[in-house]
Amino acid sequence: MKKMVILISGNGSNLQSILEACESRRIKGSVSAVFSNKANAYGLSRARAAGVPTHVLSVSDFSDRESFDLQLIKMIEAYTPDLVVLAGYMLILSSAFVSHYQDRLLNIHPSLLPKYPGLHTHRQALKNGDTEHGTSVHFVTNKLDEGPIVFQAKVPIFPSDDEKAIAVRVKHQEHAIYPLVLSWFIEGRLTMREGKAWLDNKLLPPQGYARK
Ligand code: GRF
């Protein structure tokens, strides 16, 4: 059975959706371990409740980010994962980390990339008067929130919305699309080759999968 290691920093609602998808066999793989850079991340409790080993690694215990990431790689490697999944992991990864997990590192970002990389995406969408927003699952490369997009889900923004309302709507979509994309990878249907994302050996378009 293929194995995933998941990196979080906070609430872990996406982690929860992945754990549940494994439990119900929508993802035919398992979560071997959850790592957090924050000891108080609620996602750690979710992992423990599911019987998944957890580890906390604090940046402040290391002299620099490179040595932090090297230790993280070392600890992750103990689980020999097929896939490393970023699920609300709030640290920017070193190029050593990204290279080590090249082609098997996925992230979910709460915007319709390439729009709004980085932080406060909902705030920016509101400020700009957008009527549409969303979330993107993508392979990770060395450029922040770039890397080939696998799947996007769109949500409307209504005039009465605040950031919180948008975040709830976006997360609802995230909990549906992230497990689906992970299931594709676990089944060998989704790959990254030559810096591009492929599904069933078909090159995915720039905005990711779209049902025809
Ligand atoms: C999600 O919105 C995800 O897109 C972003 O961080 C958030 C994590 O939420 N990368 P949670 O911790 O999974 O609830």
Side-chain angles (χ1 to χ4, degrees):
M1 181 151 57
K2 290 205 177 151
K3 295 179 288 187
M4 294 176 279
V5 160
I6 303 192
L7 272 55
I8 62 164
S9 298
N11 174 37
S13 68
N14 279 285
L15 164 67
Q16 185 73 49
S17 72
I18 297 164
L19 289 168
E20 286 168 13
C22 290
E23 177 71 27
S24 67
R25 309 298 298 143
R26 279 179 288 132
I27 298 177
K28 294 178 184 66
S30 62
V31 178
S32 301
V34 170
F35 287 76
S36 173
N37 64 309
K38 298 277 179 205
N40 61 356
Y42 181 62
L44 291 168
S45 307
R46 299 181 190 266
R48 286 186 205 112
V52 173
T54 59
H55 300 275
V56 176
L57 220 56
S58 299
V59 175
S60 57
D61 292 337
F62 293 82
S63 54
D64 53 53
R65 281 300 313 283
E66 190 81 14
S67 46
F68 171 85
D69 271 9
L70 289 178
Q71 178 62 19
L72 186 59
I73 292 173
K74 199 170 153 193
M75 292 175 72
I76 292 174
E77 282 310 284
Y79 294 97
T80 60
D82 298 285
L83 175 63
V84 174
V85 178
L86 307 178
Y89 185 65
M90 298 306 285
L91 294 178
I92 294 174
L93 297 163
S94 64
S95 56
F97 189 98
V98 174
S99 304
H100 191 93
Y101 292 107
Q102 193 187 340
D103 303 344
R104 52 191 178 116
L105 184 58
L106 283 163
N107 183 40
I108 189 158
H109 179 77
S111 79
L112 295 171
L113 290 170
K115 225 174 177 181
Y116 309 137
L119 298 173
H120 308 306
T121 60
H122 310 320
R123 193 176 306 167
Q124 293 182 69
L126 264 181
K127 203 177 97 200
N128 291 335
D130 294 356
T131 52
E132 187 176 72
H133 189 48
T135 181
S136 308
V137 179
H138 65 98
F139 279 106
V140 177
T141 62
N142 268 315
K143 290 192 181 149
L144 179 68
D145 297 326
E146 290 188 20
I149 293 168
V150 179
F151 204 152
Q152 293 188 320
K154 291 180 182 170
V155 301
I157 295 182
F158 300 113
S160 58
D161 278 344
D162 57 11
E163 269 184 63
K164 205 172 158 208
I166 299 172
V168 169
R169 203 170 296 131
V170 165
K171 280 208 181 176
H172 188 75
Q173 294 300 319
E174 293 191 331
H175 301 162
I177 69 167
Y178 213 6
L180 176 64
V181 169
L182 299 181
S183 77
W184 290 344
F185 189 94
I186 292 293
E187 289 166 24
R189 296 179 56 195
L190 173 68
T191 51
M192 171 141 141
R193 298 195 307 270
E194 298 140 20
K196 297 185 171 85
W198 304 77
L199 183 64
D200 298 330
N201 282 319
K202 289 192 193 89
L203 183 64
L204 284 168
Q207 74 282 6
Y209 174 82
R211 197 193 296 270
K212 290 241 167 71

